Amino acid sequence: MKVTINDVAKLAGVSMKTVSRVINKEPSVRKKTYDIVMNAVKELNYQPNIAARNLAGTSSFAVGLVYDNPNAYYVIDMQNGVLSRCKEEGYELVIHPCSYSDDNMQEEFVTMIKRSRLAGLVLTPPLSEQQAIIDMLDEIGIQYVRLLSGRAQETENSSNCIFVDDFAASHEITEHLISLGHKKIGFVLGDKEHKSTSERLAGYRQALQDHNVAYNEQLIYEGSYSFESGVLGAQSLLKDNNQNNITAILGGNDEVAAGALFAARLMNIDIPAQLSITGFEDSPFSRQTWPKLTTAHQANNVISEHAARLLFTKTRGSRSQDRDIITTFTPSLVIRQSTGAAADNS
Amino acid sequence: MKVTINDVAKLAGVSMKTVSRVINKEPSVRKKTYDIVMNAVKELNYQPNIAARNLAGTSSFAVGLVYDNPNAYYVIDMQNGVLSRCKEEGYELVIHPCSYSDDNMQEEFVTMIKRSRLAGLVLTPPLSEQQAIIDMLDEIGIQYVRLLSGRAQETENSSNCIFVDDFAASHEITEHLISLGHKKIGFVLGDKEHKSTSERLAGYRQALQDHNVAYNEQLIYEGSYSFESGVLGAQSLLKDNNQNNITAILGGNDEVAAGALFAARLMNIDIPAQLSITGFEDSPFSRQTWPKLTTAHQANNVISEHAARLLFTKTRGSRSQDRDIITTFTPSLVIRQSTGAAADNS
DNA sequence: TAGATGATTGACAGCGTTGTCATTTTAACT
DNA sequence: AGTTAAAATGACAACGCTGTCAATCATCTA
């Protein structure tokens, strides 16, 4: 019933070690031998036993996904992306939700890594931005890939990073608004500890500058990545009967934008006739509002899949190469109904 | 550096088999021996090697969590609950998102189970309600625990089920509305394939009957568990200037309720002055609306943790008993700002 | 107190791979 | 062809634990 490497070896007429070489894509196996073995593998529908591989090998066939993120959609997308790659490579995925603020987080973290003898880790923001964590991992000597907001050229040692160019995304969104005639554009920022927040702010400022629109600090609300913050931010920006004549608001992400949109409705502001609102990420949030949000599409499942790819080239680097890895993702503008021509609020 | 079972055995002055017995909580180990071994375990900070246990044992130290659910919050809660229990028991968690409509879902499913030689499965709705899947699992002979909407007494072979009493929850919510004076209560149902939908409807009907409120089919909208459906459902129920004089709407879940709430706003209906709206589950959705939703609190992470507990008593049943397992959960009413006294719409 | 019974413990052989190192085959030279 | 280096393959011992079954110990019975 259970097919082992020996069965394959017998059928192929080679030693089990050679079969091992084939399934691990090790070099120095003759093409002919390789084919014979692969045929035997297919004929018997052989599936390597993960436990045995883990026990015998130097590192296990499992990678970890580490996150500390309240955004469930984000997490699920990340999981699915990494998982799909893991399946292809025959690896298992160990998910590790954690809380950076938790005291014994580091300890638990290390325990998990050692216990499972993980082959590598995928780190998502904001944990991926924590130098303390990076240092710890370097010390342990485990492979990892970081998901970061930003661009490679500005990051030292970017060879194990996947970037999301929030600067460009924000720039594009802002330009979109400017092209619609908006000049007074508010911004409800996300958590200031997140790199994405500063990147998005920078892209916004650059776009303003590129189009000779004055930057006004009063149009910036320092919030966090939550619906609630979006509500509060919009209320703050639009207070006193919109004294700043704001005609558009960027939400730090879709959730924030949804909150801002909600706040606008409470104030009887028509979207987009009186006010345009945009988000980031194109998460389900952006489609659960009315009108739907103009946003910057960010395929988190694809991004995380590439993070996994990159990780696999590092762990089994010499064995299988993957030349199709995208290391920088630029979210693309998705125009929906929450943006329109600037109202004349003067 | 690496502590093995042999090191513990030496330190404790027993055979490694006895150490194995202790860490597996097998019976027939003398209390004294047990203590000696446990001390050695602690002193050396011994962590059993999962891979070795998986290889040597008859089943692996991993359980699977299977889901086909678009609700990210739900999934994350489920994961975290099961995961927390797994950590305590020293098991790993294999997550298995899948799509029931997918053709090779069954095949993939079986492959996963066999590949990882899973000790057991936790099945979430709606997969847990599929007889075909249950039959398949019985045939394979794997342990599993089903999360179901309903009550034990109505379910045959309920020993491996964890119930969420949606009937009671719906009954309570409906009573809450009735107590506020509502008589014309609309209901935007979730997917009709889900058991929770019929349970919630039944609870609603029972509450109406208990309080001599007439049941009116026209107040029922058959939708699905999505924001969009909530919008459409509310619009449908309130159409023609609310000809049915509806003063309250139950959303099939929080997401639906959020959609209904949004639709009401679009129609310039004041919540809760003119219309009360309720949800189910107390998911983040219910707190991301304005006003926040009255709903039925359902601690999915706790529920899934108990599912895992139940599973563990089944897999290692004879070894460690867990008498604290709750097998039926009844969501409890959480009153927030989306419900109020019935408006006089007549 | 001997013998019987059951509870407790131990010896040892796998589990199905991979790593190491030795051996054989092939290719590339004089 | 003869020699040598490199490439390809194989033999075999781990890896760290659990299952099996035999051996020992404690307790109880007559």
Side-chain angles (χ1 to χ4, degrees):
Chain A
M1 196 65 232
K2 197 170 291 172
V3 183
T4 74
I5 200 170
N6 260 310
D7 302 325
V8 179
K10 248 172 240 161
L11 178 61
V14 298
S15 76
M16 74 184 181
K17 181 64 216 187
T18 296
V19 177
S20 171
R21 289 195 177 94
V22 169
I23 60 174
N24 285 299
K25 299 201 176 105
E26 286 178 37
S28 65
V29 172
R30 204 166 308 170
K31 177 75 169 66
K32 195 175 143 198
T33 317
Y34 180 91
D35 291 339
I36 294 172
V37 172
M38 280 311 268
N39 281 335
V41 165
K42 270 167 202 153
E43 188 171 335
L44 297 174
N45 188 26
Y46 166 67
Q47 301 263 358
N49 178 311
I50 288 203
R53 303 222 287 182
N54 289 347
L55 184 56
T58 40
S59 88
S60 84
F61 282 72
V63 299
L65 174 66
V66 185
Y67 50 87
D68 172 14
N69 200 307
N71 186 331
Y73 294 117
Y74 181 82
V75 171
I76 292 284
D77 274 346
M78 286 293 156
Q79 288 181 354
N80 291 342
V82 175
L83 199 55
S84 70
R85 199 71 212 162
C86 283
K87 271 190 189 147
E88 300 217 350
E89 302 273 350
Y91 276 61
E92 294 188 321
L93 174 63
V94 175
I95 57 176
H96 189 79
C98 62
S99 171
Y100 189 65
S101 54
D102 191 346
D103 278 347
N104 38 17
M105 169 249 171
Q106 300 246 127
E107 196 186 337
E108 260 192 30
F109 197 16
V110 177
T111 305
M112 174 209 54
I113 295 171
K114 296 205 170 157
R115 241 184 96 86
S116 307
R117 286 168 62 244
L118 295 181
L121 290 176
V122 174
L123 298 172
T124 64
L127 293 167
S128 58
E129 298 160 356
Q130 301 287 343
Q131 192 58 46
I133 290 183
I134 303 306
D135 290 343
M136 183 184 76
L137 296 177
D138 286 335
E139 196 177 328
I140 295 178
I142 188 176
Q143 290 288 352
Y144 58 86
V145 166
R146 302 158 69 188
L147 255 58
L148 291 177
S149 173
R151 280 154 297 172
Q153 54 274 26
E154 297 168 349
T155 311
E156 57 174 330
N157 196 232
S158 63
S159 66
N160 59 354
C161 298
I162 298 281
F163 296 93
V164 175
D165 195 343
D166 282 307
F167 179 95
S170 185
H171 191 276
E172 191 178 6
I173 285 186
T174 309
E175 279 198 323
H176 165 64
L177 290 171
I178 293 173
S179 75
L180 288 169
H182 296 274
K183 306 259 186 224
K184 308 279 193 180
I185 306 174
F187 199 152
V188 179
L189 297 175
D191 299 75
K192 89 171 70 152
E193 296 78 19
H194 290 225
K195 183 102 184 297
S196 57
T197 296
S198 54
E199 288 289 318
R200 287 170 186 172
L201 177 59
Y204 159 88
R205 292 190 68 161
Q206 185 66 50
L208 292 184
Q209 192 181 314
D210 291 350
H211 295 270
N212 296 309
V213 177
Y215 171 72
N216 179 353
E217 222 174 32
Q218 299 197 343
L219 306 189
I220 308 299
Y221 177 88
E222 296 188 354
S224 63
Y225 285 128
S226 71
F227 184 92
E228 192 91 332
S229 177
V231 173
L232 295 174
Q235 286 175 332
S236 168
L237 291 176
L238 301 170
K239 72 184 172 196
D240 298 333
N241 202 23
N242 193 8
Q243 58 174 358
N244 284 313
N245 292 319
I246 289 173
T247 62
I249 291 180
L250 272 76
N253 66 6
D254 289 333
E255 194 169 346
V256 170
L261 199 151
F262 209 101
R265 287 219 164 265
L266 287 177
M267 292 183 260
N268 280 312
I269 297 170
D270 190 62
I271 312 293
Q274 294 174 270
L275 181 74
S276 289
I277 292 181
T278 62
F280 281 97
E281 290 180 30
D282 194 20
S283 75
F285 271 110
S286 65
R287 279 158 263 142
Q288 287 167 354
T289 58
W290 198 297
K292 291 178 180 170
L293 290 172
T294 290
T295 188
H297 177 70
Q298 179 181 329
N300 287 321
N301 55 344
V302 177
I303 293 172
S304 63
E305 202 223 302
H306 282 262
R309 281 175 186 244
L310 182 58
L311 184 58
F312 285 126
T313 66
K314 295 196 161 294
T315 56
R316 307 257 147 190
S318 53
R319 299 184 179 178
S320 69
Q321 289 300 331
D322 189 337
R323 296 254 156 257
D324 303 326
I325 302 174
I326 304 171
T327 56
T328 298
F329 289 83
T330 305
S332 58
L333 186 63
V334 178
I335 299 176
R336 297 213 184 87
Q337 295 78 47
S338 70
T339 49
D344 184 5
N345 280 2
S346 59
Chain B
M1 196 65 233
K2 197 171 291 171
V3 183
T4 76
I5 200 170
N6 259 310
D7 302 324
V8 179
K10 248 173 240 162
L11 178 61
V14 298
S15 75
M16 79 187 179
K17 181 63 214 186
T18 296
V19 177
S20 170
R21 290 196 176 92
V22 170
I23 60 173
N24 285 300
K25 296 197 179 111
E26 286 177 37
S28 64
V29 172
R30 202 166 309 170
K31 176 77 168 64
K32 195 175 143 199
T33 316
Y34 181 91
D35 291 338
I36 293 172
V37 172
M38 279 312 266
N39 281 335
V41 165
K42 271 168 202 152
E43 187 171 335
L44 298 174
N45 187 28
Y46 167 66
Q47 301 263 355
N49 178 313
I50 288 202
R53 296 174 107 184
N54 288 348
L55 184 56
T58 40
S59 88
S60 83
F61 282 72
V63 299
L65 174 66
V66 186
Y67 49 87
D68 173 13
N69 200 306
N71 187 331
Y73 294 116
Y74 182 82
V75 171
I76 292 284
D77 273 347
M78 286 293 156
Q79 287 181 355
N80 290 343
V82 175
L83 199 55
S84 70
R85 200 71 211 162
C86 282
K87 270 190 189 148
E88 299 216 350
E89 302 274 348
Y91 275 61
E92 294 188 323
L93 173 63
V94 176
I95 57 176
H96 190 78
C98 61
S99 171
Y100 189 64
S101 54
D102 190 348
D103 279 347
N104 38 18
M105 170 249 172
Q106 299 246 127
E107 196 186 339
E108 261 192 31
F109 197 18
V110 177
T111 304
M112 176 209 53
I113 294 171
K114 296 206 169 155
R115 240 183 96 85
S116 307
R117 287 168 60 246
L118 296 181
L121 289 176
V122 174
L123 298 172
T124 64
L127 293 167
S128 57
E129 297 160 357
Q130 300 287 342
Q131 193 57 46
I133 290 184
I134 304 306
D135 291 342
M136 182 184 77
L137 296 177
D138 285 337
E139 196 176 327
I140 295 179
I142 188 174
Q143 291 289 352
Y144 58 85
V145 166
R146 301 159 70 189
L147 255 57
L148 291 176
S149 173
R151 279 153 299 171
Q153 54 274 26
E154 297 168 352
T155 310
E156 57 174 331
N157 196 233
S158 63
S159 67
N160 59 354
C161 299
I162 298 282
F163 297 94
V164 174
D165 195 342
D166 281 307
F167 179 95
S170 184
H171 191 275
E172 190 177 8
I173 284 185
T174 308
E175 279 198 322
H176 165 63
L177 290 171
I178 292 173
S179 75
L180 288 169
H182 296 274
K183 306 258 185 225
K184 309 279 192 179
I185 305 175
F187 200 152
V188 180
L189 296 176
D191 299 75
K192 89 172 68 152
E193 295 79 19
H194 289 225
K195 182 104 184 298
S196 58
T197 295
S198 56
E199 288 288 319
R200 287 170 186 171
L201 177 59
Y204 159 88
R205 293 191 67 160
Q206 185 64 50
L208 293 184
Q209 191 181 316
D210 291 350
H211 295 271
N212 297 309
V213 178
Y215 171 71
N216 180 353
E217 222 175 31
Q218 299 197 343
L219 306 188
I220 308 297
Y221 177 88
E222 297 187 353
S224 63
Y225 285 127
S226 70
F227 184 92
E228 192 92 332
S229 178
V231 174
L232 295 174
Q235 285 174 334
S236 168
L237 291 176
L238 301 171
K239 73 184 169 194
D240 299 332
N241 203 22
N242 193 8
Q243 60 175 358
N244 284 314
N245 290 320
I246 289 174
T247 62
I249 292 180
L250 273 76
N253 66 7
D254 290 332
E255 195 169 345
V256 171
L261 200 150
F262 210 101
R265 287 218 165 268
L266 287 177
M267 292 183 261
N268 281 310
I269 296 171
D270 190 63
I271 313 293
Q274 294 174 269
L275 181 73
S276 288
I277 293 181
T278 63
F280 281 98
E281 291 181 27
D282 193 20
S283 75
F285 270 109
S286 65
R287 279 156 263 142
Q288 288 166 354
T289 57
W290 197 298
K292 291 178 181 171
L293 290 171
T294 290
T295 187
H297 177 70
Q298 180 181 330
N300 287 321
N301 55 343
V302 177
I303 293 172
S304 62
E305 202 223 302
H306 282 260
R309 282 174 186 245
L310 182 57
L311 183 60
F312 285 125
T313 67
K314 297 197 161 293
T315 56
R316 307 258 147 190
S318 53
R319 299 185 179 179
S320 70
Q321 289 298 331
D322 188 338
R323 297 252 155 260
D324 303 324
I325 302 174
I326 304 171
T327 56
T328 298
F329 288 83
T330 305
S332 58
L333 185 64
V334 179
I335 299 176
R336 298 213 183 89
Q337 295 79 46
S338 70
T339 48
D344 183 6
N345 281 2
S346 58

